[in-house]
Amino acid sequence: MKRVFRPFWSYDLPKSEAWLADMASQGWVLAECSLLLRRFTFRQAQPVQRSYQIGYGPSSQPSMSSYLAAEGWSERLQQGKWTVYENERQPSQIKAYPSRKEVLRRNHKISYIFMGILVYLLLIAMIPLIALGFSLTQDTPMQTQKSPLWAVTWAAAALAVILLILAIYSIIKLRAASKGFQLNHEDIKKTHEQQKPAGITMTRLKLGWMYAPDRLEEWLEEKERLGWNLYKVGLGGTLFHFSQGSPRQMKYHADYQVIGDEEYVELHRQAGWNKVYSSPFSLQKWTIWSREQTDHAQQPEIYSDPYHRLKHARKIAVSYTLLFLPMILLYSLNVTAFIDGMLQDGITASRAWNTSLMFLCILIFGSFTVRTWLYYRRLKKL
């Protein structure tokens, strides 16, 4: 028996699958794996050529379709929601593979968690760093105070650094893995092939449109009626590139999803929608769809009934509220502490600057949250 410890095997499934195939070619066949210990156990056998695919999904769902079984796939082992499939055929002979949809969904959920940890740690570190930077610009000497709990402080700092490194590493690896899976989609290839058209063009910056997507849709449709045709969206979805052409009656829709999988894209494509932009971020998965109106009596809509459109708007408002509310509360506590310090010890330049900075952050994040609920309110009145 041979045991191998691989703590981050699920971050790069193609690499793990190739590793399992290489072990089988050396005569080590996978016998079992421990997800809790991140450990794989192999037994020695005759060297064989195998192809492996690691799947993820609820254990209650059917394990494998008859079509995949006909392609030579079989279950090697299953633990929890993970299933390891093997195939005796050569990769060039395999025409179908188990779905990666649930793996993509899992990657995005984990990325969301680590993104929250990263944002929290950066916000916690921002306050003392700003205060330290401001103090270094002053002529007054810095004073340090001894504390009997420095061991706890250093232990917490070390833990924060480890969490920060783990969060950054996990986000980068998971995003790279998800991008590798999605590069096989035709619509993503088409997005990368967009080129600047000939003729007169213009670029417009649109910040924060995701907090009021209906305003963005109206703005894009008005540009099309004036003869400015949208051909590209860049720089994180904030730069909109137009080319001067003929006026068009277009319908745009900005859609928010946790993850837009292959089925989601194909469903809208069959309905006649074209994907103009898709955000690469796991924290905010926005997609902008466009469709030309051929029948003015019936305008195309992704959410055809008011209930689902209102439900979509509520999901946007709730998601951004949960994202920004902890930041607002954190900055509010700091503003209260700075104001209390100024009332007791007097106003200094450092305290005034920090109080103004925290108050500005409260206004910015608060406005983002309010705008999402105003968007929900506008749709509710329709």
Side-chain angles (χ1 to χ4, degrees), residues 196-202 228 231 242-245:
K196 184 177 180 180
I200 301 175
T201 62
M202 74 172 182
W228 290 102
Y231 70 90
F242 301 89
S243 63
Q244 193 173 37

Side-chain angles (χ1 to χ4, degrees), residues 104-145:
L104 283 169
R105 194 182 301 275
R106 172 186 177 272
N107 286 356
H108 280 73
K109 288 180 180 179
I110 297 177
S111 296
Y112 190 93
I113 294 172
F114 278 115
M115 186 70 74
I117 295 174
L118 180 62
V119 171
Y120 176 76
L121 292 175
L122 291 178
L123 289 174
I124 291 298
M126 186 183 300
I127 298 171
L129 288 177
I130 292 175
L132 178 62
F134 188 81
S135 300
L136 292 175
T137 61
Q138 306 300 309
D139 296 332
T140 56
M142 294 180 59
Q143 296 181 355
T144 58
Q145 175 126 18

Side-chain angles (χ1 to χ4, degrees), residues 47-98:
V48 291
Q49 296 297 322
R50 292 284 189 274
S51 296
Y52 288 90
Q53 179 98 2
I54 302 175
Y56 181 85
S59 56
S60 58
Q61 71 179 14
S63 57
M64 189 172 55
S65 66
S66 57
Y67 180 69
L68 289 176
E71 285 294 318
W73 290 103
S74 61
E75 289 187 11
R76 180 66 195 179
L77 60 86
Q78 182 178 16
Q79 186 180 43
K81 295 183 178 181
W82 290 102
T83 304
V84 179
Y85 302 96
E86 68 175 6
N87 199 321
E88 296 182 359
R89 299 180 183 180
Q90 295 296 323
S92 59
Q93 299 174 332
I94 302 174
K95 299 179 181 179
Y97 290 82

